[in-house]
């Protein structure tokens, strides 16, 4: 599919680049910590672009000085959900709300079947289009097990 | 996603031991200068009186880390040395003070990335109910990463009389991180010597993971006087010559009394001397004061102590039972 070259999910920052190494991830986390942003780890197996609320892997982490603690949680999450999408989100509270400043993938399933285009005939001869993730045809938790 | 590289970074150059000519020159002096470690060591010397064995050990650690860095420059790998420490010593011998400096020193030497100090006691690590302890301990560990985790009175983590105590769970997690994430944080335990020894006897795993057991000696009387001078200077006061002699007498007497706490007793004695000085100035309102009066501690401010008149400490908690 044109918008999903190589069947790789492209959401959040850096998603058109090759997967970040742990060292590059740590550098991005450091950038967030330097701004006093809280950093959270989240996972999902529903890659639809409108699925904004992913599951939190533990609470967002406040008051950390060094990326090592967050990388530790990322690796724990990878161990628990090796075939899920995992993202890191940095929250900025300076405006009184925790608004995301950064968000990027740090783990993805081995095989990403991608999205299909679904057409719906509506009134008159109109056609509605939407995307549908092949993975979500299966129930939660079984979507990326080969 | 590629498999997460499980701590398997920079493959060691296997033949560096033989590939690099033995005669390759190394510049230890330059490395020493570039690290600015001397400044920190000098500052330590200036601001902390005495503590010879402690300072010597810190110098040795600095040397080890510098040599390690030079070796790495030549491709000789040795793995990060373990720098977890245990500080033992009587009350007020400077354990907490040195731990705070340790972060900065290790940062200058490139051993930790941030150099901040996270101070905790049992309550910060151990939870109240099942499943509470692990997240609590991990939270603290994550905060300390990149710096130094200082566990004061570490022996309270382990309560042998209560077999359902959650402290053991916390120790378990600490041990794991101390072993596997040496490059991410340094753990310093502190406490009184006898209790610490007993703690290590029942937790040999902890003892073996600690590379440096440093004992803080009690201060000699002249060192305590020097500490007093330094503390006064920090607070912009000074002794009159008579007062300094009086203080030297005071310290010798006070040392033999109960609840003596080394440098902390000095700090308390000085606080009381300042109180008496202020009262003395108030008691003579007619005399014209000059600046010198405001900054000088006189002998009478020291000699008014009950240490001299009654042979007991001034009310320094806890109250001695001989009263
Ligand atoms: N060598 C020293 N030079 C100057 N001041 C010192 C020295 N050692 C200790 N002090 C001062 O004495 C006070 C007590 O020191 P500190 O809190 O480090 O003792 P401690 O060993 O941690 O005691 P405790 O075991 O009771 O916790 C501090 O205010 C510190 O500034
Ligand atoms: Mg202390």
């Amino acid at each position: 599919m044109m918008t999903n070259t190589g069947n790789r999910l492209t959401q959040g920052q850096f998603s058109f680049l090759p997967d970040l190494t742990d060292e590059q991830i740590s550098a991005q986390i450091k950038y967030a910590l330097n701004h006093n942003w809280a950093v959270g780890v989240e996972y999902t197996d529903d890659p639809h672009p409108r699925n904004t609320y992913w599951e939190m892997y533990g609470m967002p982490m406040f008051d950390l000085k060094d990326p090592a603690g967050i990388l530790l949680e990322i690796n724990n999450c990878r161990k628990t959900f090796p075939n899920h999408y995992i993202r890191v989100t940095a929250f900025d509270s300076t405006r009184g709300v925790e608004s995301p400043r950064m968000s990027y993938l740090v783990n993805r399933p081995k095989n990403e079947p991608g999205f299909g285009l679904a057409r719906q005939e509506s009134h008159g001869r109109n056609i509605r289009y939407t995307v549908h993730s092949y993975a979500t045809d299966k129930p939660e938790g079984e979507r990326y097990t080969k | 996603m590629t498999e997460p590289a499980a701590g398997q970074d920079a493959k060691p150059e296997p033949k560096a031991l033989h590939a690099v000519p033995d005669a390759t020159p190394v510049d230890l002096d330059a490395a020493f200068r570039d690290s600015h470690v001397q400044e920190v060591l000098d500052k330590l010397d200036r601001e902390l009186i005495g503590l010879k064995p402690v300072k010597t050990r810190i110098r040795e650690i600095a040397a080890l880390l510098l040599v390690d860095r030079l070796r790495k420059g030549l491709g000789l790998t040795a793995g990060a040395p373990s720098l977890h420490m245990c500080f033992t010593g009587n009350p007020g011998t400077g354990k907490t003070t040195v731990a705070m400096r340790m972060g900065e020193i290790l940062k200058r030497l490139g051993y930790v990335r941030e150099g901040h100090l996270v101070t905790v006691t049992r309550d910060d690590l151990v939870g109240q109910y099942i499943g509470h302890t692990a997240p609590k301990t991990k939270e603290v560990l994550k905060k300390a990463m990149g710096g130094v985790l200082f566990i004061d009175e570490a022996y309270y983590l382990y309560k042998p009389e209560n077999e359902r105590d959650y402290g053991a769970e916390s120790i378990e997690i600490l041990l794991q991180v101390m072993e596997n994430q040496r490059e991410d944080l340094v753990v310093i335990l502190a406490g009184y010597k006898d209790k610490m020894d007993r703690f290590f006897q029942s937790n040999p795993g902890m003892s073996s993971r600690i590379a440096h057991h440093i004992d803080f000696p009690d201060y000699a009387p002249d060192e305590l006087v020097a500490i007093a001078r330094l503390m006064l200077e920090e607070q912009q006061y000074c002794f009159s010559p008579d007062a300094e002699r009086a203080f030297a007498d005071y310290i010798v007497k006070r040392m033999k009394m109960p609840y003596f706490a080394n440098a902390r007793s000095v700090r308390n004695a000085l606080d009381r001397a300042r109180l008496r000085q202020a009262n003395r100035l108030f008691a003579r309102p007619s005399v014209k004061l000059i600046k010198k009066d405001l900054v000088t501690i006189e002998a009478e401010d020291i000699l008014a102590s009950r240490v001299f008149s009654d042979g007991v400490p001034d009310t320094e908690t806890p109250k001695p039972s001989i009263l």
Side-chain angles (χ1 to χ4, degrees):
Chain A
M1 197 173 119
M2 285 278 290
T3 53
N4 196 11
T5 42
N7 268 0
R8 281 167 55 82
L9 191 66
T10 48
Q11 287 181 20
Q13 300 165 284
F14 320 121
S15 58
F16 286 91
L17 299 175
D19 290 331
L20 300 184
T21 63
D22 282 5
E23 203 177 324
Q24 290 166 329
I25 292 168
S26 294
Q28 293 302 334
I29 296 172
K30 186 68 202 166
Y31 177 83
L33 295 180
N34 285 345
H35 285 84
N36 291 323
W37 297 336
V39 178
V41 178
E42 299 165 312
Y43 64 93
T44 192
D45 61 358
D46 177 1
H48 194 280
R50 296 299 178 97
N51 172 25
T52 41
Y53 296 112
W54 293 24
E55 307 291 335
M56 294 201 297
Y57 189 79
M59 301 295 276
M61 287 164 267
F62 299 89
D63 307 324
L64 265 59
K65 286 264 184 342
D66 188 81
I70 294 160
L71 196 64
L72 186 78
E73 290 301 347
I74 292 174
N75 280 327
N76 287 341
C77 189
R78 282 169 172 166
K79 236 178 266 160
T80 321
F81 301 106
N83 254 328
H84 277 51
Y85 291 101
I86 301 176
R87 73 181 176 194
V88 168
T89 306
F91 301 95
D92 179 1
S93 64
T94 42
R95 304 207 179 271
V97 288
E98 297 284 353
S99 41
R101 282 296 199 118
M102 305 178 74
S103 180
Y104 46 92
L105 291 174
V106 292
N107 196 66
R108 54 173 81 237
K110 279 202 189 61
N111 299 305
E112 299 175 85
F115 295 86
L117 185 69
R119 296 180 181 81
Q120 184 190 41
E121 291 170 345
S122 79
H123 57 74
R125 296 186 62 96
N126 281 325
I127 300 281
R128 293 159 169 268
Y129 297 97
T130 189
V131 290
H132 170 72
S133 135
Y134 296 119
T136 52
D137 288 340
K138 286 196 220 153
E140 236 179 295
E142 297 169 21
R143 285 171 183 165
Y144 292 97
T145 47
K146 254 176 262 166
Chain B
M1 183 91 220
T2 48
E3 280 295 299
Q8 203 57 57
D9 38 9
K11 260 255 159 83
E13 194 52 57
K15 294 204 189 70
L17 184 57
H18 303 295
V20 181
D22 278 350
T24 309
V26 290
D27 195 347
L28 187 58
D29 287 339
F32 190 64
R33 245 179 289 119
D34 292 345
S35 68
H36 297 286
V37 148
Q38 191 59 49
E39 285 163 41
V40 193
L41 293 178
D42 285 346
K43 197 167 151 224
L44 201 71
D45 255 339
R46 252 192 336 270
E47 294 175 7
L48 292 180
I49 309 290
L51 295 178
K52 249 274 140 46
V54 179
K55 288 173 180 167
T56 310
R57 186 60 76 90
I58 291 176
R59 248 168 229 286
E60 287 167 0
I61 291 171
L64 170 69
L65 293 182
L66 273 176
V67 169
D68 220 51
R69 195 191 281 183
L70 283 175
R71 286 170 51 100
K72 225 175 256 160
L74 292 182
L76 297 160
T77 48
S82 166
L83 279 197
H84 303 307
M85 302 178 208
C86 173
F87 291 173
T88 50
N90 286 330
T93 43
K95 300 181 291 294
T96 306
T97 313
V98 172
M100 306 236 268
R101 299 296 174 84
M102 226 46 221
E104 194 196 341
I105 292 170
L106 294 178
K107 183 173 183 193
R108 294 264 180 142
L109 290 164
Y111 190 84
V112 295
R113 291 180 291 268
E114 300 293 326
H116 59 293
L117 184 83
V118 175
T119 305
V120 297
T121 53
R122 179 190 158 91
D123 288 350
D124 303 295
L125 294 168
V126 180
Q128 307 281 332
Y129 42 83
I130 291 181
H132 192 202
T133 299
K136 244 181 134 167
T137 303
K138 281 183 187 151
E139 182 83 26
V140 166
L141 283 167
K142 281 188 275 179
K143 282 187 183 153
M145 278 184 185
V148 173
L149 176 63
F150 183 68
I151 309 179
D152 220 348
E153 314 222 54
Y155 28 77
Y156 290 131
L157 280 180
Y158 178 71
K159 294 199 167 159
E161 66 278 6
N162 181 358
E163 61 187 37
R164 282 169 51 212
D165 185 65
Y166 301 124
E169 191 182 341
S170 184
I171 293 176
E172 198 78 10
I173 297 168
L174 282 172
L175 290 180
Q176 214 177 340
V177 172
M178 285 166 78
E179 184 72 24
N180 300 336
Q181 293 188 273
R182 281 185 204 168
E183 64 281 2
D184 288 330
L185 90 164
V186 169
V187 176
I188 301 181
L189 308 181
Y192 305 132
K193 179 110 176 76
D194 48 338
K195 284 191 184 170
M196 215 63 208
D197 286 345
R198 244 173 289 139
F199 173 72
F200 285 135
Q201 267 163 27
S202 14
N203 295 278
M206 187 62 96
S207 181
S208 63
R209 274 172 186 76
I210 289 177
H212 302 276
H213 292 261
I214 306 181
D215 204 26
F216 284 57
D218 285 337
Y219 294 109
D222 57 326
E223 287 173 335
L224 291 167
V225 174
I227 289 173
R229 236 182 283 126
L230 200 72
M231 284 178 178
L232 283 182
E233 207 173 297
E234 269 164 25
Q235 304 172 44
Q236 317 235 354
Y237 278 89
C238 64
F239 278 136
S240 72
D242 281 346
E244 189 168 325
R245 273 190 291 277
F247 193 78
D249 288 346
Y250 169 89
I251 276 299
V252 172
K253 288 197 161 59
R254 179 66 188 88
M255 281 172 84
K256 299 193 187 101
M257 293 174 192
Y259 308 112
F260 178 65
N262 287 287
R264 185 168 303 115
S265 288
V266 171
R267 187 174 288 280
N268 293 343
L270 294 178
D271 284 347
R272 282 189 299 270
R274 281 170 55 190
L275 200 72
R276 294 192 198 104
Q277 180 233 27
N279 276 314
R280 169 169 57 80
L281 297 180
F282 254 99
R284 293 174 304 177
S286 55
V287 183
K288 258 248 174 339
L289 291 178
I290 56 173
K291 176 213 143 196
K292 186 158 178 265
D293 296 318
L294 291 182
V295 301
T296 310
I297 303 284
E298 295 290 352
E300 58 192 283
D301 304 329
I302 307 288
L303 294 171
S305 163
R306 297 188 62 197
V307 166
F308 289 103
S309 54
D310 305 350
V312 296
D314 300 283
T315 47
E316 200 159 316
T317 50
K319 243 185 195 144
S321 51
I322 36 172
L323 280 184

